[in-house]
CSV table of all heavy atoms in Angstrom, one decimal:
chain,number,residue,atom,x,y,z
A,75,ALA,N,16.9,-25.8,-5.7
A,75,ALA,CA,15.9,-24.9,-5.1
A,75,ALA,C,15.1,-25.6,-4.0
A,75,ALA,O,14.9,-24.9,-2.9
A,75,ALA,CB,15.0,-24.4,-6.2
A,76,ALA,N,14.7,-26.8,-4.2
A,76,ALA,CA,13.9,-27.5,-3.2
A,76,ALA,C,14.7,-27.7,-1.9
A,76,ALA,O,14.2,-27.4,-0.8
A,76,ALA,CB,13.3,-28.8,-3.7
A,77,PRO,N,15.9,-28.3,-2.0
A,77,PRO,CA,16.7,-28.5,-0.7
A,77,PRO,C,17.0,-27.2,0.0
A,77,PRO,O,17.0,-27.1,1.2
A,77,PRO,CB,18.0,-29.2,-1.2
A,77,PRO,CG,17.6,-29.9,-2.5
A,77,PRO,CD,16.6,-29.0,-3.1
A,78,VAL,N,17.4,-26.1,-0.8
A,78,VAL,CA,17.7,-24.9,-0.1
A,78,VAL,C,16.5,-24.3,0.6
A,78,VAL,O,16.5,-23.7,1.7
A,78,VAL,CB,18.3,-23.9,-1.2
A,78,VAL,CG1,18.5,-22.5,-0.5
A,78,VAL,CG2,19.6,-24.4,-1.7
A,79,LEU,N,15.3,-24.4,-0.1
A,79,LEU,CA,14.0,-23.9,0.5
A,79,LEU,C,13.8,-24.6,1.8
A,79,LEU,O,13.4,-24.0,2.8
A,79,LEU,CB,12.9,-24.1,-0.5
A,79,LEU,CG,11.5,-23.9,0.1
A,79,LEU,CD1,11.3,-22.4,0.5
A,79,LEU,CD2,10.4,-24.3,-0.9
A,80,VAL,N,13.9,-25.9,1.8
A,80,VAL,CA,13.6,-26.7,3.0
A,80,VAL,C,14.6,-26.3,4.2
A,80,VAL,O,14.2,-26.2,5.3
A,80,VAL,CB,13.8,-28.2,2.7
A,80,VAL,CG1,13.7,-29.0,4.0
A,80,VAL,CG2,12.6,-28.6,1.8
A,81,THR,N,15.8,-26.1,3.8
A,81,THR,CA,16.8,-25.6,4.8
A,81,THR,C,16.4,-24.3,5.5
A,81,THR,O,16.5,-24.2,6.7
A,81,THR,CB,18.2,-25.4,4.2
A,81,THR,OG1,18.6,-26.7,3.6
A,81,THR,CG2,19.2,-25.0,5.2
A,82,GLU,N,15.9,-23.4,4.7
A,82,GLU,CA,15.4,-22.1,5.2
A,82,GLU,C,14.2,-22.3,6.1
A,82,GLU,O,14.1,-21.7,7.1
A,82,GLU,CB,15.1,-21.1,4.0
A,82,GLU,CG,16.4,-20.7,3.3
A,82,GLU,CD,17.3,-19.9,4.1
A,82,GLU,OE1,16.9,-19.1,4.9
A,82,GLU,OE2,18.6,-20.2,4.0
A,83,LEU,N,13.3,-23.1,5.6
A,83,LEU,CA,12.1,-23.4,6.4
A,83,LEU,C,12.4,-24.0,7.8
A,83,LEU,O,11.7,-23.9,8.8
A,83,LEU,CB,11.1,-24.3,5.7
A,83,LEU,CG,10.5,-23.7,4.4
A,83,LEU,CD1,9.6,-24.7,3.7
A,83,LEU,CD2,9.7,-22.4,4.7
A,84,GLY,N,13.5,-24.8,7.8
A,84,GLY,CA,13.9,-25.5,9.0
A,84,GLY,C,14.7,-24.7,10.0
A,84,GLY,O,15.0,-25.1,11.1
A,85,GLY,N,15.0,-23.5,9.6
A,85,GLY,CA,15.7,-22.6,10.5
A,85,GLY,C,17.0,-22.0,9.9
A,85,GLY,O,17.6,-21.2,10.6
A,86,GLY,N,17.3,-22.4,8.7
A,86,GLY,CA,18.5,-21.8,8.1
A,86,GLY,C,19.7,-22.8,8.2
A,86,GLY,O,19.7,-23.7,9.0
A,87,GLU,N,20.7,-22.5,7.3
A,87,GLU,CA,21.9,-23.4,7.2
A,87,GLU,C,22.7,-23.2,8.5
A,87,GLU,O,22.8,-22.1,9.1
A,87,GLU,CB,22.7,-22.9,6.1
A,87,GLU,CG,23.9,-23.9,5.8
A,87,GLU,CD,24.6,-23.5,4.5
A,87,GLU,OE1,24.0,-22.6,3.7
A,87,GLU,OE2,25.6,-24.1,4.2
A,88,GLY,N,23.1,-24.4,9.0
A,88,GLY,CA,23.9,-24.3,10.3
A,88,GLY,C,23.1,-24.6,11.5
A,88,GLY,O,23.7,-24.9,12.6
A,89,THR,N,21.8,-24.6,11.4
A,89,THR,CA,20.9,-24.9,12.6
A,89,THR,C,20.6,-26.4,12.5
A,89,THR,O,20.6,-27.0,11.5
A,89,THR,CB,19.6,-24.1,12.6
A,89,THR,OG1,18.8,-24.5,11.4
A,89,THR,CG2,19.9,-22.6,12.5
A,90,LEU,N,20.2,-26.9,13.7
A,90,LEU,CA,19.8,-28.4,13.8
A,90,LEU,C,18.6,-28.7,12.9
A,90,LEU,O,18.5,-29.6,12.2
A,90,LEU,CB,19.6,-28.8,15.2
A,90,LEU,CG,19.1,-30.2,15.5
A,90,LEU,CD1,20.2,-31.2,14.9
A,90,LEU,CD2,18.8,-30.5,16.9
A,91,GLY,N,17.6,-27.8,13.0
A,91,GLY,CA,16.4,-28.0,12.3
A,91,GLY,C,16.6,-27.9,10.8
A,91,GLY,O,16.1,-28.7,10.0
A,92,GLY,N,17.4,-26.9,10.3
A,92,GLY,CA,17.7,-26.8,8.9
A,92,GLY,C,18.5,-28.0,8.4
A,92,GLY,O,18.3,-28.5,7.3
A,93,SER,N,19.5,-28.5,9.2
A,93,SER,CA,20.3,-29.6,8.8
A,93,SER,C,19.5,-30.9,8.7
A,93,SER,O,19.6,-31.7,7.8
A,93,SER,CB,21.5,-29.8,9.8
A,93,SER,OG,22.3,-28.7,9.8
A,94,LEU,N,18.6,-31.1,9.7
A,94,LEU,CA,17.7,-32.3,9.7
A,94,LEU,C,16.8,-32.3,8.6
A,94,LEU,O,16.6,-33.3,7.9
A,94,LEU,CB,17.0,-32.4,11.0
A,94,LEU,CG,16.1,-33.6,11.2
A,94,LEU,CD1,16.9,-34.9,11.1
A,94,LEU,CD2,15.3,-33.5,12.6
A,95,ALA,N,16.1,-31.1,8.3
A,95,ALA,CA,15.2,-31.0,7.2
A,95,ALA,C,15.9,-31.3,5.9
A,95,ALA,O,15.4,-32.0,5.0
A,95,ALA,CB,14.5,-29.6,7.2
A,96,LEU,N,17.1,-30.7,5.7
A,96,LEU,CA,17.8,-30.9,4.5
A,96,LEU,C,18.2,-32.4,4.3
A,96,LEU,O,18.1,-32.9,3.2
A,96,LEU,CB,19.1,-30.0,4.5
A,96,LEU,CG,20.0,-30.2,3.3
A,96,LEU,CD1,19.3,-29.8,2.0
A,96,LEU,CD2,21.3,-29.3,3.5
A,97,ALA,N,18.6,-33.0,5.4
A,97,ALA,CA,19.1,-34.4,5.3
A,97,ALA,C,17.9,-35.3,4.9
A,97,ALA,O,18.0,-36.2,4.0
A,97,ALA,CB,19.6,-34.8,6.6
A,98,LEU,N,16.7,-35.1,5.5
A,98,LEU,CA,15.6,-35.9,5.1
A,98,LEU,C,15.1,-35.7,3.7
A,98,LEU,O,14.9,-36.7,3.0
A,98,LEU,CB,14.4,-35.5,6.1
A,98,LEU,CG,14.5,-36.0,7.5
A,98,LEU,CD1,13.4,-35.3,8.3
A,98,LEU,CD2,14.4,-37.5,7.6
A,99,VAL,N,15.1,-34.5,3.2
A,99,VAL,CA,14.6,-34.2,1.9
A,99,VAL,C,15.7,-34.8,0.9
A,99,VAL,O,15.3,-35.4,-0.1
A,99,VAL,CB,14.5,-32.7,1.6
A,99,VAL,CG1,14.3,-32.4,0.1
A,99,VAL,CG2,13.3,-32.2,2.4
A,100,SER,N,16.9,-34.6,1.2
A,100,SER,CA,18.0,-35.1,0.3
A,100,SER,C,18.0,-36.6,0.2
A,100,SER,O,18.1,-37.2,-0.9
A,100,SER,CB,19.3,-34.6,0.7
A,100,SER,OG,19.3,-33.1,0.8
A,101,ALA,N,17.8,-37.3,1.3
A,101,ALA,CA,17.8,-38.7,1.3
A,101,ALA,C,16.6,-39.3,0.5
A,101,ALA,O,16.8,-40.2,-0.3
A,101,ALA,CB,17.7,-39.2,2.8
A,102,VAL,N,15.4,-38.7,0.7
A,102,VAL,CA,14.3,-39.2,0.0
A,102,VAL,C,14.4,-38.8,-1.5
A,102,VAL,O,14.0,-39.7,-2.3
A,102,VAL,CB,13.0,-38.6,0.6
A,102,VAL,CG1,11.8,-39.0,-0.2
A,102,VAL,CG2,12.8,-39.0,2.0
A,103,ALA,N,14.9,-37.7,-1.8
A,103,ALA,CA,15.1,-37.3,-3.2
A,103,ALA,C,16.1,-38.2,-3.9
A,103,ALA,O,15.9,-38.6,-5.0
A,103,ALA,CB,15.6,-35.8,-3.3
A,104,PHE,N,17.1,-38.6,-3.1
A,104,PHE,CA,18.1,-39.5,-3.7
A,104,PHE,C,17.5,-40.8,-4.0
A,104,PHE,O,17.8,-41.5,-5.0
A,104,PHE,CB,19.4,-39.6,-2.8
A,104,PHE,CG,20.5,-40.4,-3.4
A,104,PHE,CD1,21.3,-39.8,-4.3
A,104,PHE,CD2,20.7,-41.7,-3.0
A,104,PHE,CE1,22.3,-40.6,-4.9
A,104,PHE,CE2,21.7,-42.4,-3.5
A,104,PHE,CZ,22.6,-41.9,-4.5
A,105,ALA,N,16.7,-41.3,-3.0
A,105,ALA,CA,16.1,-42.6,-3.2
A,105,ALA,C,15.1,-42.5,-4.4
A,105,ALA,O,15.0,-43.5,-5.1
A,105,ALA,CB,15.3,-43.0,-1.9
A,106,SER,N,14.5,-41.4,-4.6
A,106,SER,CA,13.6,-41.2,-5.7
A,106,SER,C,14.3,-41.3,-7.0
A,106,SER,O,13.9,-41.9,-8.0
A,106,SER,CB,12.9,-39.8,-5.6
A,106,SER,OG,12.2,-39.5,-6.7
């Protein structure tokens, strides 16, 4: 739910903003 939400806030799946936001959240979540 959190990664999908961030993707939508970043502009949606397939957009640069959505991809970057998802990548950042996922990387930090994985480190967590």
Side-chain angles (χ1 to χ4, degrees):
V78 174
L79 171 64
V80 170
T81 302
E82 292 298 319
L83 294 176
E87 191 172 349
T89 66
L90 178 60
S93 298
L94 181 60
L96 175 63
L98 285 170
V99 168
S100 301
V102 175
F104 185 77
S106 171

